[in-house]
Amino acid sequence: MNPVEEFYDQHAEDEWTRLERHRLEFALSLRAMERHLPAPPARVADIGGGAGRYAITLAQRGYSVTLADLSPACLDVARCRAAEFGADIDRYLHADARNLSALPDAGFDAVLLQGPLYHLLDRDDRLKALQEASRILRPGGFIFAGFLGRYNALLSASVRAAGYVRDAADENDAILAAGLYRRGDGQGFVDAWFAHPTEIPPLMAEAGFAPVDFLACESILAEREALVNAADNGLWERWLDILSPIARDPYILGAAEHMLWIGRKAPA
């Protein structure tokens, strides 16, 4: 079994609850989608969408959504949650982002690719996933591509395990040097690529996408969002109004845990 598939099969329910714990990442990403998605009932392919948090939310808003993921267990969680919330997902598809042959050419107005790229360690594989996203996207359609930030592990270690830089020095050095993390002993996160923000625009340009927007999904509050996440509705909305434009400040991208690059396929 693909190790990424195996990992997410084992953590499928956590893929749903993660975006409750990281409410800010979810909300700021949705705000970016609101700015750029065409109006419903536009067709959206959520590729690598896991347990379906974004897919279900967009379906509730009237979008025509296909959810594809490498993990059957995540798709099962998505089916259950969609039924619970009364969201009508058009199609669930077990698929690798590098091979979306079950989906038609130019069949979608927007593609979400928020997880697959950071589990593809080879650049050629990342390009394959992007080329498949481009193939299923109509001319002029939008892509929303997610990336893990290069300093993600350090941000997490600073609040959870300061000894990480000593106890896993070789691992941390490999991430800092080239963004590559390989799961050695079967513990911790699965194999991943942590991107520096300067590496993302050239990759997306090579795949044929023109830049539209680029944001740090936690804005300036990576690993410091707990009090904001717990805020009541009025205070929460005030924080979002402040943090949303800051999230697009290019000078903070290097300190992001998650980045969202938004681009457009060339019109016909």
Side-chain angles (χ1 to χ4, degrees):
M1 179 185 288
N2 183 304
V4 176
E5 179 178 348
E6 182 178 13
F7 177 85
Y8 284 104
D9 274 352
Q10 294 171 356
H11 298 86
E13 191 61 41
D14 186 58
E15 280 303 291
W16 180 267
T17 59
R18 189 187 76 80
L19 289 173
E20 293 177 351
R21 298 192 306 274
H22 297 284
R23 184 185 179 198
L24 185 61
E25 174 196 341
F26 183 59
L28 291 179
S29 297
L30 278 176
R31 283 205 171 191
M33 292 176 193
E34 290 166 0
R35 285 195 298 272
H36 301 295
L37 278 174
R43 302 156 299 169
V44 177
D46 188 357
I47 308 301
R53 288 300 295 249
Y54 291 98
I56 288 170
T57 299
L58 293 177
Q60 288 175 317
R61 296 180 179 185
Y63 286 93
S64 174
V65 182
T66 290
L67 174 62
D69 200 80
L70 192 60
S71 164
C74 281
L75 291 172
D76 287 342
V77 171
R79 288 186 184 94
C80 291
R81 296 295 187 176
E84 178 184 346
F85 289 102
D88 185 14
I89 302 294
D90 288 359
R91 183 180 183 184
Y92 297 89
L93 178 66
H94 178 221
D96 187 310
R98 294 167 293 183
N99 181 3
L100 302 174
S101 56
L103 299 178
D105 293 357
F108 297 91
D109 301 297
V111 172
L112 312 186
L113 198 68
Q114 292 172 273
L117 295 173
Y118 52 75
H119 289 307
L120 297 171
L121 273 57
D122 293 333
R123 196 173 194 275
D124 286 348
D125 282 334
R126 294 193 285 272
L127 281 170
K128 285 180 184 177
L130 288 167
Q131 288 160 358
E132 277 292 83
S134 179
R135 180 186 63 78
I136 67 171
L137 189 60
R138 66 163 175 82
F142 288 88
I143 186 168
F144 298 78
F147 298 88
L148 294 176
R150 177 66 49 88
Y151 309 120
N152 192 307
L154 288 176
L155 287 166
S156 181
S158 71
V159 297
R160 292 179 177 84
Y164 166 78
V165 296
R166 175 194 62 218
D167 302 334
D170 290 345
E171 173 186 301
N172 185 59
D173 289 348
I175 294 173
L176 293 179
L180 297 180
Y181 166 78
R182 300 182 187 275
R183 191 184 194 196
D185 58 4
Q187 303 297 316
F189 197 41
V190 70
D191 291 4
W193 174 59
F194 294 83
H196 192 278
T198 58
E199 296 172 320
I200 296 169
L203 174 69
M204 302 305 294
E206 187 172 347
F209 294 105
V212 172
D213 208 349
F214 196 5
L215 64 140
C217 296
E218 299 85 11
S219 192
I220 54 172
L221 296 189
E223 292 296 344
R224 298 185 296 274
E225 76 270 33
L227 289 177
V228 172
N229 285 338
D232 62 29
N233 287 341
L235 182 58
W236 168 250
E237 291 296 330
R238 173 63 176 151
W239 270 104
L240 291 184
D241 288 343
I242 293 170
L243 292 172
S244 184
I246 295 173
R248 301 161 73 189
D249 183 340
Y251 291 100
I252 70 166
L253 287 168
E257 286 192 306
H258 296 82
M259 294 172 283
L260 185 63
W261 191 95
I262 301 167
R264 197 167 190 185
K265 181 177 176 178

